[in-house]
């Protein structure tokens, strides 16, 4: 029996909006969730990197997850980022997220302390054993300093609760190897690689781009699944410049600045992340104008 697929298509790695004083803007967060779902987003991924999970304290992290579950109200799956470089804390947060009613967990590789491949297996197995929920592994070596090797993914995929991986290593070869080694759902962690992932059997994308153009990001995936490969590719290439612009500075700085330029009033990032320098903002404004977003 194949494992349950949490979602197919474009899930948004949703930003966490802030007030001017730096506190979480829960009212705006609810608005953004509604706007995402109304525009075709297939899943809400809360408290990921794009949601500034690293600068949310424990109470805020739980409150943001709770708000996402409440506001989504079962319309689409909610996946909570509960990864940590402390396995015990990752278990604690995952159990709290489960109690709040999330549909799955997104677990980034342990950062800074850089576990070995054996350590990664032990870490993920401990959380998967403790939290009886579908788990998405998250491989983003550019941020964490550790890469999940395809053979390690294959070993972890034997666990009944480990059902998917968000692959953001940038290596299409690694994605092909994962797909050849095991039966696990694969999501692109990079908006410029959606179509290549889909061509290798991927289920979709966990997207930063969706924060700005949710309908179009959804459609890139939907066209592929509908058999319109040319249409999917054309749409992906049309929005490539925008996808790249959203990474001209450290994520989520660029996407928050873009959303503010679009009049969405999502606030700035928390320190140590600061708003883009003026030359970057000018470039971003030019790109947004090109796509008729401002």
């Amino acid at each position: 029996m194949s494992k349950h697929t949490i979602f197919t298509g474009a899930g948004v790695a949703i930003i966490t909006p802030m007030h001017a004083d730096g506190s979480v803007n829960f009212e705006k967060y609810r608005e953004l969730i509604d706007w995402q779902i109304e525009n075709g987003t297939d899943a809400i991924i809360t408290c990921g990197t794009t949601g500034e999970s690293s600068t949310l304290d424990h109470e805020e992290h739980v409150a943001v997850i709770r708000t996402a579950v409440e506001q989504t109200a079962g319309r689409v799956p909610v996946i909570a980022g509960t990864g940590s470089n402390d396995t015990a804390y990752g278990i604690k947060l995952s159990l709290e997220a489960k109690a709040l009613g999330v549909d799955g967990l997104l677990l980034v590789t342990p950062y800074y302390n850089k576990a070995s491949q054996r350590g990664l297996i032990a870490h993920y197995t401990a959380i998967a054993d403790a939290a009886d929920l579908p788990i998405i592994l998250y491989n983003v070596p550019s941020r964490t300093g550790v890469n999940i090797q395809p053979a390690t993914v294959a070993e972890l995929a034997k666990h009944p609760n480990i059902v998917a991986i968000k692959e953001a290593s940038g290596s299409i070869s690694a994605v092909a190897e994962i797909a050849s080694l095991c039966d696990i759902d694969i999501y692109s962690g990079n908006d410029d690689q959606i179509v290549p992932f889909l061509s290798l059997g991927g289920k979709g994308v966990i997207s930063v781009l969706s924060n700005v153009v949710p309908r179009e990001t959804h459609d890139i995936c939907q066209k592929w699944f509908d058999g319109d490969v040319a249409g999917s590719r054309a749409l992906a290439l049309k929005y490539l410049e925008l996808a790249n612009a959203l990474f001209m500075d450290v994520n989520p700085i660029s996407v928050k600045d873009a959303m503010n330029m679009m009049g969405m009033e999502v606030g700035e990032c928390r320190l140590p992340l600061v708003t883009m320098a003026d030359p970057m903002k000018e470039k971003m404004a030019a790109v947004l104008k090109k796509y008729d977003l401002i």
Side-chain angles (χ1 to χ4, degrees):
M1 188 174 75
S2 63
K3 294 179 180 179
H4 171 69
T5 293
I6 306 174
F7 78 95
T8 302
V12 62
I14 195 166
I15 63 103
T16 302
M18 306 290 183
H19 289 293
D21 66 359
S23 62
V24 176
N25 186 341
F26 288 101
E27 183 180 358
K28 176 63 68 172
Y29 195 54
R30 290 177 183 275
E31 287 177 19
L32 291 175
I33 288 169
D34 284 345
W35 181 69
Q36 284 290 328
I37 295 171
E38 287 161 10
N39 282 279
T41 286
D42 299 293
I44 302 293
I45 293 84
T46 182
C47 293
T49 306
T50 312
E52 298 179 74
S53 56
S54 56
T55 49
L56 296 174
D57 67 28
H58 181 77
E59 289 74 21
E60 289 171 326
H61 201 131
V62 172
V64 171
I65 294 171
R66 180 186 296 112
T67 302
V69 172
E70 288 176 355
Q71 194 65 26
T72 302
R75 290 177 286 173
V76 297
V78 175
I79 297 140
T82 57
S84 175
N85 63 345
D86 170 5
T87 306
Y89 182 68
I91 290 171
K92 172 183 167 69
L93 196 52
S94 296
L95 290 173
E96 291 188 52
K98 180 184 178 183
L100 293 171
V102 301
D103 299 284
L105 305 173
L106 179 69
L107 301 178
V108 70
T109 52
Y111 36 87
Y112 189 73
N113 40 14
K114 293 177 69 172
S116 67
Q117 298 301 302
R118 287 177 63 241
L120 290 175
I121 290 169
H123 169 80
Y124 280 118
T125 299
I127 300 177
D129 284 347
D132 189 19
L133 272 179
I135 285 168
I136 305 175
L137 310 174
Y138 180 18
N139 191 36
V140 58
S142 65
R143 293 191 86 115
T144 65
V146 62
N147 184 50
I148 312 179
Q149 299 293 342
T152 303
V153 177
E155 183 62 30
L156 287 168
K158 296 174 184 176
H159 196 292
N161 290 337
I162 297 175
V163 303
I165 182 167
K166 175 185 177 185
E167 239 296 334
S169 68
S171 172
I172 296 298
S173 298
V175 174
E177 192 171 351
I178 291 166
S180 75
L181 288 174
C182 60
D183 179 19
I184 193 168
D185 287 345
I186 303 173
Y187 298 101
S188 177
N190 296 314
D191 287 307
D192 61 348
Q193 294 183 328
I194 300 172
V195 172
F197 270 69
L198 295 175
S199 75
L200 290 167
K203 296 292 183 182
V205 62
I206 295 177
S207 172
V208 174
L209 181 65
S210 286
N211 281 284
V212 176
V213 283
R215 174 62 65 186
E216 292 79 359
T217 314
H218 163 85
D219 286 352
I220 292 169
C221 296
Q222 194 58 52
K223 285 179 183 293
W224 178 278
F225 296 128
D226 290 343
D228 183 7
V229 172
S232 173
R233 181 175 61 238
L235 201 55
L237 293 176
K238 177 180 177 181
Y239 283 92
L240 181 62
E241 185 179 359
L242 178 58
N244 289 337
L246 294 176
F247 284 86
M248 70 171 74
D249 207 332
V250 175
N251 184 47
I253 294 170
S254 305
V255 68
K256 271 195 154 179
D257 281 357
M259 293 170 78
N260 285 327
M261 290 177 193
M262 292 165 64
M264 300 173 91
E265 298 179 356
V266 298
E268 294 187 5
C269 295
R270 286 181 173 176
L271 289 172
L273 303 186
V274 296
T275 188
M276 290 192 294
D278 287 343
M280 275 192 187
K281 285 186 176 178
E282 289 167 13
K283 286 183 187 175
M284 179 65 78
V287 172
L288 294 174
K289 283 175 184 170
K290 181 175 178 179
Y291 287 94
D292 293 324
L293 294 170
I294 60 172

